[in-house]
Amino acid sequence: MRTEVAIVGAGPAGLLLSHLLGREGVDSVVVETRSREYVEARIRAGILESSTVGLLDEVGLGDRLHREGQQHRGIYLQWPGERHHLDFVELAGRSVWLYGQTELTKDLGLARDAAGQHIRYGVRDTRLHDLTTGHPYVTFTDADGGAARIDPNVVVGCDGSFGPSRAAVPDAGKQTWERTYPYAWLGILATVAPSTDELIYAWHPEGFALHSMRSASVSRLYLQVDPDTDLDEWPDERIWDALARRLGAGLEGWDLTPGPITEKSVLPMRSFVMAPMRYGRLFLAGDAAHIVPPTGAKGLNLAVADVALLAPALVALVQKNDGRLAEAYSEAALRRVWRSTHFSWWMTTMLHPNGDPFDTQLQRSQLRWVTSSRAAATGLAENYAGLPIGC
Ligand SMILES: Cc1cc2nc3c(=O)[nH]c(=O)nc-3n(C[C@H](O)[C@H](O)[C@H](O)COP(=O)(O)OP(=O)(O)OC[C@H]3O[C@@H](n4cnc5c(N)ncnc54)[C@H](O)[C@@H]3O)c2cc1C
């Protein structure tokens, strides 16, 4: 197969990049190891920054999001005995939208169908070759077991943290930074109306808890747990009891309504950045180049911001042989990556007790500060609601 751009991975980064390129008349081929049903049902992120929503609107992907998503003005921050609302619209002039990654992925899939794009789902053995030459290529085994090869001008790795793209860059061609946190999140999806109108981020001596949601009838909640937690030790009743305690049931008459749990998993917490986000004719975008802990709701938004910068760079490169934006891509993308990496680390370390009494006092002091100083609250709001793409 000859094409302009070979895209490895059909998560949000890969699908959106293919959509943005297609709108400018640039042909791409997308390969994905999982089935379409699996990719579209994968429960992950749920908060879209204002700049993500702005971009989706601009490129014709915002209709269902505005119909079925929920606009949130801010979040609640709390610790035992106190709950405070931070209003991002008032503080920073921007809101966020609640819209599941599953829904965005379905919208992207339908948009690619409408454009006649064939995504190759269910492939195996994806390999990237000759990335530093003028003729890179990608090989894989297709869903029917046939050997296949793509010959593009450029390859884009949108294959998440365990895909082959990052691994294709030799150690000498990259620098990496990593932080592993000594805790994880036990996440549940429950068929019950949320007990809150906006997300509650709760510091508690037993551990952090987050009350999020996916729709008017589906709640998403998280508990801080040890990374080696065995889910068998967390029957539903224990989860709801811990959530109610940590989220402050009884506080000013508030209560948490439990419901049937339909999904349960443990998410490790990690920060990771690789630079540069380019190696010869290979460009990296999204989780393939960086991972953030989910506390700041940044992973999906960073993937969107990367491809928003990369798409025009690739259009200029393949249509006009103008490589200036492509040369600048990694540095420009990494500015936002590091801002979001810092914000996600900051939210994470402020909200997760780690057993150190000195850190506990610092966390309580920070929480009092961001809920009592307009300047501090504005900093949180600006980062959470998201800076304009390109900043
Ligand atoms: C388990 C998990 C839970 C998360 N939960 C949250 C959350 O609660 N809140 C939040 O804000 N963020 C969350 N995130 C982060 C957010 O979902 C990611 O940042 C986002 O999905 C990044 O999009 P992406 O397209 O870069 O990567 P991905 O969505 O990971 O997509 C990469 C795609 O590449 C495919 N692929 C991998 N290997 C190959 C190969 N060899 N060949 C072809 N295709 C390949 C994968 O199957 C996948 O579809 C979570 C992430 C993970 C991994």
Side-chain angles (χ1 to χ4, degrees):
M1 283 168 275
R2 273 223 60 85
T3 187
E4 301 288 8
V5 181
I7 300 176
V8 184
L15 289 172
L16 180 59
L17 179 63
S18 173
H19 180 77
L20 298 177
L21 293 173
R23 282 171 59 88
E24 299 301 324
V26 172
D27 185 54
S28 61
V29 172
V30 186
V31 294
E32 163 64 51
T33 41
R34 302 291 194 164
S35 67
R36 180 167 181 168
E37 296 68 38
Y38 182 93
V39 170
E40 292 183 352
R42 207 162 35 192
I43 305 293
R44 289 188 174 175
I47 292 286
L48 304 183
E49 291 177 357
S50 64
S51 51
T52 298
V53 175
L55 175 76
L56 295 174
D57 284 342
E58 237 173 74
V59 300
L61 289 164
D63 284 357
R64 197 161 72 92
L65 148 63
H66 285 283
R67 269 200 324 274
E68 297 177 20
Q70 293 171 24
Q71 188 169 20
H72 284 194
R73 287 183 67 97
I75 57 168
Y76 296 96
L77 266 185
Q78 74 170 52
W79 58 92
E82 284 191 46
R83 179 177 294 168
H84 298 265
H85 186 246
L86 298 191
D87 187 321
F88 300 159
V89 178
E90 200 188 293
L91 290 162
R94 295 193 285 281
S95 64
V96 293
W97 279 76
L98 182 92
Y99 194 61
Q101 184 167 329
T102 46
E103 305 317 298
L104 176 59
T105 310
K106 284 179 206 151
D107 294 347
L108 284 163
L110 289 175
R112 298 321 295 135
D113 292 344
Q117 173 91 38
H118 178 55
I119 313 256
R120 279 148 207 283
Y121 288 100
V123 309
R124 284 180 286 119
D125 308 324
T126 319
R127 293 212 167 81
L128 284 55
H129 308 267
D130 292 355
L131 297 168
T132 52
T133 72
H135 303 283
Y137 65 99
V138 176
T139 56
F140 60 94
T141 306
D142 69 23
D144 299 330
R149 170 173 164 147
I150 312 171
D151 286 280
N153 279 337
V154 297
V155 180
V156 183
C158 296
D159 44 358
S161 44
F162 302 108
S165 300
R166 188 195 300 162
V169 182
D171 286 348
K174 65 186 172 203
Q175 192 174 1
T176 59
W177 297 262
E178 189 164 7
R179 171 71 42 97
T180 304
Y181 300 87
Y183 29 73
W185 279 8
L186 192 169
I188 61 161
L189 202 64
T191 315
V192 60
S195 302
T196 176
D197 56 341
E198 297 187 341
L199 273 65
I200 305 174
Y201 285 77
W203 183 96
H204 191 278
E206 265 182 41
F208 169 72
L210 172 60
H211 189 334
S212 177
M213 62 289 280
R214 285 295 175 269
S215 68
S217 55
V218 177
S219 297
R220 178 93 166 127
L221 298 106
Y222 302 93
L223 284 169
Q224 176 185 345
V225 291
D226 287 335
D228 56 1
T229 289
D230 178 357
L231 279 176
D232 288 344
E233 289 172 14
W234 283 88
D236 296 3
E237 207 183 321
R238 181 177 176 203
I239 293 175
W240 285 115
D241 283 351
L243 283 167
R245 257 192 326 277
R246 296 188 197 180
L247 288 166
L251 176 67
E252 290 167 13
W254 181 83
D255 211 354
L256 177 68
T257 309
I261 295 179
T262 54
E263 203 251 3
K264 217 187 264 189
S265 56
V266 175
L267 310 176
M269 309 272 279
R270 194 158 73 99
S271 296
F272 175 88
V273 180
M274 172 190 146
M277 289 166 60
R278 178 184 184 173
Y279 176 67
R281 295 245 170 173
L282 169 69
F283 295 83
L284 296 174
D287 278 17
H290 39 74
I291 308 289
V292 284
T295 328
K298 287 288 165 242
L300 171 60
N301 292 295
L302 268 184
V304 168
D306 284 352
V307 299
L309 287 177
L310 185 55
L314 296 184
V315 171
L317 186 68
V318 301
Q319 285 184 344
K320 298 186 191 133
N321 201 23
D322 177 350
R324 281 175 298 175
L325 285 177
E327 287 299 329
Y329 164 68
S330 175
E331 206 181 314
L334 281 165
R335 276 200 293 274
R336 190 186 194 86
V337 168
W338 277 114
R339 177 85 308 277
S340 296
T341 299
H342 173 262
F343 178 66
S344 303
W345 165 87
W346 181 75
M347 286 284 281
T348 301
T349 52
M350 174 170 72
L351 286 161
H352 293 74
N354 61 11
D356 180 326
F358 182 77
D359 287 350
T360 298
Q361 294 307 323
L362 295 182
Q363 289 172 337
R364 301 288 297 256
S365 168
Q366 267 195 79
L367 282 163
R368 281 193 298 272
W369 180 51
V370 288
T371 51
S372 61
S373 149
R374 188 175 173 92
T378 304
L380 191 153
E382 213 174 67
N383 280 279
Y384 195 107
L387 300 164
I389 287 172
C391 293

